[in-house]
Amino acid sequence: MSQPTFSSTSQTTITPHNQQPFVTRNYPTESELDATIVRAVEAQKAWAKVPLEERIKIGRNFISLAQSSEPNLSLELTLQMGRPISQIQAEINGFLDRAGYMLSIASEALADVPLTDTDKPGFRRFIKRTPLGVILVIAPWNYPYLTSINSVLPALISGNAVLLKPSPQTPLTAERFASALVSAGVPPDVIQVVHLSPELTRHAVENKNVQFVSFTGSVGGGKKVEEAAVNAKGFKGVALELGGKDPAYVRADADLDYTVAELVDGAMYNSGQSCCAIERIYVHESIYDPFVAKYANIVKQNYKLEDPTLPTTNLGPVVSLASAERIRKQVDDAVKAGAKKLIPEELFPKAKIGTTYVAPQVLVNVDHFVISDPSAQEETFGPVVGIQKVSSDEEAIKLMNDSPYGLTASVWTSASTSESSEEAFLKIADQIETGTVFLNRCDYLDPALAWTGVKDSGRGISLSRFGYDQLTRAKSVHMKIKTS
């Protein structure tokens, strides 16, 4: 059984760990979808007239309501996408943190930009930020709350209406999100959840009344969204937050115990099902052997692959049988090409062929696997990481950039005790082709920083003050007050 299952009129979410149907949602007809969009258009006109500070107040009401519903979300999300229930709270905390930050900067980010310093006598000029209209947000399943908040709340605060299309794997997350927004004071037609088939999704993207599309997902899915937007009448904006094959470089002076633990978590958390999970690690040759030994030992000893609804589980299933098969094949192909597996699969008896449970794996002897094998250039999106020895910063930079992706990258070095190491990091950071570069951390989004990617990791920006720029348009106001 695949996950989820579809018919021409509905979708059914399959719980990953037990392969049982969880929830079914029906699709609208094209005419019903068109009517939903028309309602959004009309509602947005009134919503845009609500003063910004009132919209921000509604956003703060939403945060309060979301905080009160936290305990009810964990099991529901685990049953939809398989993440251990012990790890769900971290997503909710991040969701609330991002919401709070984006509200805290909204007044400044959306304020008029005056030009009084350069206005000539008798003139007044300023630049306004105005809403785009109706925005379609297409959310993924792996972090449905975290990714949705990046666009949905800033779009609403900016005065737009939002159509929120969740992944068919996590349909209830969008419904909970929208319900809390409405309860907080957002008009119902300003935030609407739409469960759509691929064909209906394309229809929504092509609809002339949808002014902007924010998509988070695969490269293939992003290309389909962009093609549909290009084929639509008129011109609309598209933001694409796509995949990653994120690298880490461990320099010779890195704090070994700290770095190993952080990079294990960066690769294995959520079973590696994160666009910014660590999939490639380059380690300076002088510390390569102890790094690999410590890394493998943590994976062997610290992870319990089990039923994700159990509070003691810290490694759950992957999202689908197809995903599990793809991950196993990628590991098998790497071994056939010469890679060596360091984690005995018998340590994880739950990981059986024909299930969604995949044993964590650490691969070495992966020069060819990381660099040359085309299949290895794709996201693994599973609990698998390759570790490779390098001899210099220059070699590490070359290998880190040897990927069609560029979402995040991390460098691990002892900047706190060595000024030269911090300088080295900054030089490396300038040369890495990526949207975000970290020093001594990974797999994290700071809402004050622009979340963006290069190459096949997509285009556009969410979070930070620049996230508001993407969801609004500039309108210049040029006033000649004195005419005589």
Side-chain angles (χ1 to χ4, degrees), residues 62 94-95 98-99 144-154 177 463:
F62 159 74
F95 170 81
R98 293 182 194 181
Y145 288 110
L146 273 180
T147 52
S148 296
I149 198 70
N150 293 356
S151 296
V152 171
L153 189 61
F177 192 0
L463 300 177

Side-chain angles (χ1 to χ4, degrees), residues 161-184:
V162 172
L163 303 173
L164 176 55
K165 182 215 169 296
S167 164
Q169 191 67 48
T170 51
L172 299 185
T173 58
E175 295 175 13
R176 302 291 178 257
F177 192 0
S179 176
L181 286 165
V182 171
S183 295

Side-chain angles (χ1 to χ4, degrees), residues 245-251 259-260 262-264 266-267 276-284 291 295 370 385-390 395-397 399-401 408-413 428 432 434 436-438 440-443:
K245 189 81 174 175
D246 290 4
Y249 169 38
V250 183
R251 300 184 78 234
T259 299
V260 169
E262 290 292 304
L263 287 176
V264 170
C276 56
I278 296 296
E279 297 200 15
R280 302 179 286 145
I281 303 176
Y282 304 104
V283 183
H284 192 271
F291 179 94
Y295 198 103
V370 173
V385 67
I387 306 177
Q388 181 176 344
K389 183 187 303 182
V390 295
E395 183 181 8
I397 293 166
L399 296 178
M400 294 172 88
N401 288 336
T408 80
S410 60
V411 179
W412 305 74
T413 190
I428 294 168
I432 300 175
T434 189
T436 297
V437 59
F438 295 104
N440 296 334
R441 77 179 313 180
C442 62
D443 193 23

Side-chain angles (χ1 to χ4, degrees), residues 240-317:
L240 303 172
E241 200 270 272
L242 308 178
K245 189 81 174 175
D246 290 4
Y249 169 38
V250 183
R251 300 184 78 234
D253 67 343
D255 180 338
L256 201 56
D257 289 338
Y258 168 80
T259 299
V260 169
E262 290 292 304
L263 287 176
V264 170
D265 184 68
M268 301 299 165
Y269 194 85
N270 199 29
S271 297
Q273 297 172 125
S274 170
C275 56
C276 56
I278 296 296
E279 297 200 15
R280 302 179 286 145
I281 303 176
Y282 304 104
V283 183
H284 192 271
E285 59 189 6
S286 64
I287 59 169
Y288 177 81
D289 289 339
F291 179 94
V292 169
K294 288 175 180 288
Y295 198 103
N297 283 338
I298 290 179
V299 175
K300 291 174 185 177
Q301 297 172 10
N302 290 15
Y303 284 90
K304 183 176 182 181
L305 180 65
E306 255 297 349
D307 183 331
T309 65
L310 300 176
T312 55
T313 298
N314 61 358
L315 191 66

